[in-house]
Every structure is written in C-alpha cells, then in structure tokens.
C-alpha cells in the first residue's frame, strides 16, 4: 500500500531508503535550498525516481540561502576538510533544516492523503546534527500527528544504523550508488576531502562496494 | 532582553502579540504563501513593525499555492461564508501551515541567536485547525528544543484566550486595529461574511472597539 512520501536528497542514504521502501512510497520530495551540491543531488534524485516510477517534486527554498548562515550555503571554499565528526563540520549545519523539510513534507502528505513521511537520518549524523537525533525525530513525529487531521507520522528506519550498514542494505537491494551524490563542495567530481566524501568512502568500503 | 522572533501575519492576533511583547521581540517574520489576503496582511505587518522599530522579514513560500490544496489559496470565490466553526470553514485549512511557519522561524531564531519563537494561536482556532491546538504547540516546541543547538522553544501566550480577550488586551495596549487585516477573501474592503470577518467583528464588539 502506497501510504508515504519520502524526503529524498539524492545522497546515498535517502536513495537506499527509496529503494528499500518503494512498495510504500507514493511520492518523493527534494528540497533545493541553495547548497553547493543541490543541483547534482537533485539530478540524482530525479534519475532514481524515474527508474522506480515514483512521482518526484522539487521544492525551492530560496529563503535559506538568503537568510540562514551555514558554510554549506556559502560556496565550495567555505566547506571544511576533515572527518565528519570534527568540530569544524559544525559550520555546515543549516539550522533546523530537517525540521523545515519534514514540516513541508508533512503538509504535502496531508494534501495528498498520505499517512507517513520517510526520512533517512542515521546514527552517524547524531553527533553533529541535532535535527537527526532520535529524540528530535520522535518529538517532530508527535508534533505532526497532533497538527494534522489524519495524524501524519515520521518513519525513520535508519535512525540507529551506521552509514556502512545502510550501504550494506543498498548492496542487497542492488542500488546503483554511481547515481547518488554527497560531496558538500558540489564539484563535478567529489572532492574526496570533505566530511561527507570521507564518510561515503568509508561506508562503501565497509559494504565491499567500489568507491566510485 | 530581545530573545525572540514572532510569526506575524498582520492580522489582529499576531499584531496584538507584537505590541504586547515588543520589549522581547528582536525580529518579525511574515510568510507570503499565496493566499488571497496575503498582500494586504503583509502591508499591515510591515506598517506595524515600522511603527515599533522591529526588523521585519517577508519569506515567500510559493510551493504552497502550487502543491497544497486549500480554498484559502484558490481565489476569493472559493472562500465559504458563515461562522468560523462551521464545517465548511475546514476547506480554508492549509495543511500543517503553522508547523511549516514555526519550523522556518525556528531556523531563523537559531541563525540569529534567538531563543524563542512567538505565535498568536488562540482558543477560537482549536476547533478547526489542528496545528493551533495546545498539544500541537507543546510537541512542536519540544521538537524545536531537541532539533537545535540552543534549544529554541515556542511561546504562545494566547493559546487559551478567546479572540475577544485578545482584542481587550489590544485595547489596553492601544493597538490600532485599523491597520490589521483578516478577511480571507482578500478584497480592498473586508467582505463581512467569511468566518474570519465574523470572528473579527465579534471580538471587536466584545472589547468595545469600533468594527472598522
């Protein structure tokens, strides 16, 4: 039964979730919030949805680039190099980004008669991003349930997995990771040095997949 | 101490709250989501902020008009006439609108070092709008606290007041209600027949203010 909308960035995690839950996903939404890597991510999201025949909507959130402060919105030079859990990666946080994306996806769910919003936050995100933690997801789900007629809720099945475990799941599902994009610098070729590139390479190695 | 951002529509309730809490409000945000009455509301919001010297930001949410279903977004003819609590007013609900506005205001608060988001939902809204009810506000506040570094929370001091009681408060504060706008049809003169016009007139009468 198709009862869900997925927040789909076009990166490894959400693309894996898309394939994992394709029987239940009626539509996917990708947010264009003006980050360095948005255009490449969106292209990956579109291609993956096309392959699975899932309806895909792109919503522009121009206000984020204009009014929010984050190195993710300031051009490739502003992105720190180093591991994902280093303090300098904190500069890449876009304040309450997941809260905003979930809220909009919730409105889309209610408008389209869907009951759940799926999101692919995972264990590796918890240290840096408060809006990826289990207690955030639980309370946001409760807010959505209370704030809608139909009691829309969040499903975040990867909350306690590592990115490596997600890649393993993707391997089982036959996900083509060549058509996912993660690099925070947003270049044609991933930089290999930013936190997301390092984390991605590590996850693919863990799953025994090529680090393309 | 200026520690808050307010979600300011430009209607009676949020304008009263703006005046009520002006010592604590560092900035106001108005959302342009493509409703019939947005342009007039925004003009009122701008004028009220100018008078009090409060910084004012307008954020456009074009996706709502494009992807959400609500009579509030469909032109004046679609707005039902009758009392606010009638079932037909349900067609004016914009799905999870307050959730979306609060989430964006939360991101703005975190970006600007503010601790609270103020919103003027009130008791009269509870029957129709799930995202105005106390349990929604409490759980959304918890989600924001969990999802931000600084633990941003919601303040909704009118949650248990009626609109009439808000008008009384505004009378004490000397709020000029001629520069607020509510009519859901969005005409130059309020229609007097839609739920919001009726509710506004009733509140002003309750407070012994002219029904301009």
């Amino acid at each position: 039964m198709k009862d869900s909308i997925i927040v789909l960035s076009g990166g490894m995690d959400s693309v894996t979730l898309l394939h994992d839950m394709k029987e239940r996903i009626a539509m996917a939404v990708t947010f264009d919030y003006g980050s360095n890597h948005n255009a490449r991510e969106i292209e990956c999201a579109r291609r993956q949805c096309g392959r699975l025949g899932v309806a895909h909507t792109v919503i522009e959130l121009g206000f984020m680039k204009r009014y929010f402060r984050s190195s993710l919105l300031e051009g490739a030079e502003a992105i720190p190099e180093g591991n994902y859990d280093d303090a300098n990666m904190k500069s890449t946080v876009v304040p309450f980004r997941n809260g905003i994306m979930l809220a909009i996806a919730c409105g889309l769910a209610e408008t389209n008669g869907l009951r759940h919003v799926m999101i692919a936050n995972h264990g590796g995100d918890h240290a840096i991003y408060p809006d990826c933690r289990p207690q955030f997801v639980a309370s946001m789900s409760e807010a959505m349930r209370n704030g809608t007629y139909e009691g829309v809720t969040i499903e975040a099945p990867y909350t306690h997995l590592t990115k490596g475990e997600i890649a393993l799941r993707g391997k089982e599902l036959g996900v083509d990771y060549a058509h996912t994009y993660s690099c925070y610098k947003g270049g044609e070729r991933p930089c290999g040095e930013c936190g997301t590139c390092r984390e991605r390479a590590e996850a693919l190695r863990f799953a025994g997949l090529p680090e393309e």
Side-chain angles (χ1 to χ4, degrees), chain A:
Chain A
M1 183 190 154
K2 300 221 184 251
D3 62 359
S4 301
I5 179 172
I6 185 173
V7 176
L8 182 71
S9 69
M12 281 180 65
D13 312 321
S14 61
V15 165
T16 306
L17 186 58
L18 175 73
H19 286 261
D20 207 351
M21 297 288 172
K22 65 183 178 210
E23 269 78 31
R24 292 186 44 210
I25 294 172
M27 62 185 288
V29 58
T30 302
F31 294 95
D32 182 356
Y33 54 94
S35 74
N36 307 316
H37 61 319
N38 254 166
R40 293 181 202 283
E41 277 193 326
I42 291 167
E43 183 46 37
C44 289
R46 194 186 321 268
R47 191 188 284 246
Q48 298 280 358
C49 284
R51 219 175 265 183
L52 297 175
V54 171
H56 183 228
T57 299
V58 178
I59 286 186
E60 206 188 321
L61 303 178
F63 63 85
M64 281 201 182
K65 197 174 175 83
R66 186 151 173 206
Y67 297 113
F68 284 39
R69 262 193 300 277
S70 165
S71 65
L72 199 57
L73 308 175
E74 285 167 14
E77 308 70 40
I79 298 293
E81 296 181 350
N83 288 324
Y84 211 66
D85 51 358
D86 286 355
N88 66 356
M89 280 298 282
K90 221 178 133 172
S91 78
T92 66
V93 172
V94 179
F96 211 55
R97 184 186 60 174
N98 279 4
I100 294 166
M101 298 195 307
L102 285 165
I104 296 170
C106 174
L108 285 170
E110 177 111 311
T111 268
N112 290 287
L114 302 171
R115 299 296 297 268
H116 307 289
V117 177
M118 292 187 176
I119 188 163
N121 61 296
H122 61 82
D125 295 333
H126 301 172
I128 314 180
Y129 301 116
D131 60 354
C132 290
R133 293 176 194 151
Q135 60 270 40
F136 163 71
V137 173
S139 48
M140 189 69 195
S141 185
E142 187 63 11
M144 286 162 46
R145 198 177 63 74
N146 286 326
T148 51
Y149 284 102
E150 298 302 330
V152 174
T153 56
I154 298 175
E155 294 198 11
Y158 296 164
T159 300
H160 298 287
L161 297 191
T162 64
K163 201 176 180 85
E165 289 165 336
I166 294 174
L168 258 184
R169 179 79 189 123
K171 189 182 181 184
E172 287 166 22
L173 294 163
V175 175
D176 175 10
Y177 286 120
H179 292 125
T180 62
Y181 190 89
S182 309
C183 174
Y184 271 0
K185 294 201 177 187
E188 191 181 343
R189 302 293 312 161
C191 74
E193 294 303 324
C194 74
T196 36
C197 277
R198 291 185 183 204
E199 194 203 24
R200 174 189 172 100
E202 199 179 295
L204 292 169
R205 263 198 309 277
F206 177 87
L209 287 166
E211 295 169 41
E212 68 315 30

